Amino acid sequence: MIVTLTANPSLDRTVALPGPLERGEVQRAVSVRQESGGKGVNVSRALVTSGLETLAVLPGAESDPVLAGLREEGVPFASLAIHEALRTNVALTEPGGVTTKINEPGPVLAADAQEALISLLLERSRGASWVVLAGSLPPGVPADFYATVTRRLRNADAGAGVPKIAVDSSGAPLAAAVAGDATEAASGKPDLLKPNAEELAELAAAAGFSSASTAEELEADPYAAAAAAAAVVRSGVGAVLATLGSKGAVLVTADGAWLATHPPVTAVSTVGAGDSSLAGYLLAASQGAAPADCLRQAVAHGAAAASLPGSTVPAVHQTTPDAVTITALRKD
């Protein structure tokens, strides 16, 4: 089973526009979609769609629309009751897939609620193969929350082994997840990290990578992306799955580096495409696939998600892994 933790879940509303966004003008929407969201929630949604056992752990009142949406989709979840409504995020999509997102901060999660959420995760992740810590952190939560959760998971007596841990976040929470001493017995560093190109550039710089690169440069040069990811792996992270937008993705482990590309698709919405990529990787990993084939399914899932409206997640039968080209890369 794969357990996801989404500390700052959301109700995701996607508004499709008939043409380019015109600032300061009145525009009529072509359509509006609404789904339960947040990175971890999206991963669980994608896994359920493909028939894999998963559980989404998140805060939220029983009557909250986010939890109602999960019930409607048949996504198993365990929630920590809170009094405030969860946030609503709005995505404006233009023809061609250009997406503008407006994300609310979310309700404040006090220290006692943070501890209760961690305890709920520890309880419900016993026997899990993977735990995914994903998304932004709500107000009141320290930046090192994911590193703390990782250490707590590795120190817990789960009775069925310690799950592997994947982190998909950004900014300070992502930086804190890879900081610290990797030689500690229960390191806060994850087994898998899933940055995009911008996040990878920041992480590589923090890891002391001497060749500074921008997100645009990393997307244009997969060898540079692999070298940057290798610097992060050397800092103690188990593996880096770096999504590069329409350029595909690279996977770097201690044993190798690979690039995966997919033929161009007609982009409808990029909302949640990275989350679907992570779900595809975990789906393949749960079936015992080799690293390069996990990468293959990750890119197939991401491409399929980009071709669907809103934050719709693809089922595995909607993906085309046979169309993905895998290339072995040198890491540095």
Side-chain angles (χ1 to χ4, degrees):
M1 181 174 71
I2 296 174
V3 177
T4 65
L5 173 65
T6 308
N8 202 17
S10 59
L11 188 66
D12 288 348
R13 292 176 59 83
T14 304
V15 180
L17 300 175
L21 175 65
E22 299 177 11
R23 294 182 59 192
E25 300 296 329
V26 175
Q27 291 176 268
R28 297 189 181 277
V30 173
S31 64
V32 178
R33 296 180 61 91
Q34 181 170 288
E35 289 114 350
S36 299
K39 284 184 173 296
V41 166
N42 288 339
V43 170
S44 282
R45 290 174 55 225
L47 294 174
V48 165
T49 302
S50 293
L52 200 67
E53 185 180 7
T54 184
L55 179 76
V57 176
L58 69 164
E62 282 295 312
S63 59
D64 196 280
V66 173
L67 272 59
L70 292 178
R71 292 190 195 96
E72 185 175 341
E73 285 194 67
V75 178
F77 66 88
S79 60
L80 172 71
I82 60 174
H83 299 296
E84 293 184 68
L86 296 173
R87 61 183 180 149
T88 297
N89 293 339
V90 177
L92 305 175
T93 62
E94 305 172 36
V98 175
T99 302
T100 302
K101 293 195 68 178
I102 303 171
N103 291 350
E104 295 181 3
V108 173
L109 205 62
D112 57 344
Q114 296 170 36
E115 179 58 34
L117 187 62
I118 294 174
S119 297
L120 178 62
L121 176 69
L122 295 177
E123 175 188 348
R124 300 306 296 268
S125 62
R126 289 173 182 158
S129 57
W130 282 88
V131 172
V132 178
L133 313 177
S136 64
L137 297 176
V141 178
D144 65 351
F145 181 74
Y146 288 143
T148 297
V149 173
T150 298
R151 286 190 290 268
R152 293 278 295 273
L153 283 165
R154 289 179 175 154
N155 282 320
D157 180 12
V162 178
K164 291 185 177 180
I165 300 167
V167 172
D168 182 5
S169 188
S170 60
L174 179 62
V178 301
D181 185 358
T183 64
E184 296 175 359
S187 170
K189 294 178 183 283
D191 299 286
L192 175 67
L193 203 66
K194 198 223 71 64
N196 58 26
E198 181 178 355
E199 294 155 356
L200 176 60
E202 294 174 358
L203 288 172
F209 184 51
S210 58
S211 180
S213 299
T214 65
E216 292 76 14
E217 290 169 340
L218 293 181
E219 288 188 354
D221 184 353
Y223 287 97
V232 179
V233 169
R234 286 194 296 271
S235 75
V237 173
V240 174
L241 169 65
T243 51
L244 306 175
S246 63
K247 304 297 184 180
V250 296
L251 173 67
V252 177
T253 71
D255 299 318
W258 302 267
L259 165 70
T261 57
H262 191 285
V265 300
T266 301
V268 176
S269 172
T270 59
V271 179
D275 308 331
S276 288
S277 293
L278 178 54
Y281 181 98
L282 296 174
L283 178 65
S286 297
Q287 297 170 344
D293 289 323
C294 293
L295 174 62
R296 180 189 303 277
Q297 191 59 56
V299 169
H301 255 76
S307 68
L308 297 172
S311 56
T312 305
V313 293
V316 66
H317 71 267
Q318 295 175 291
T319 70
T320 52
D322 289 345
V324 176
T325 299
I326 300 291
T327 304
L329 303 173
R330 65 179 186 274
K331 291 183 292 182
D332 45 42

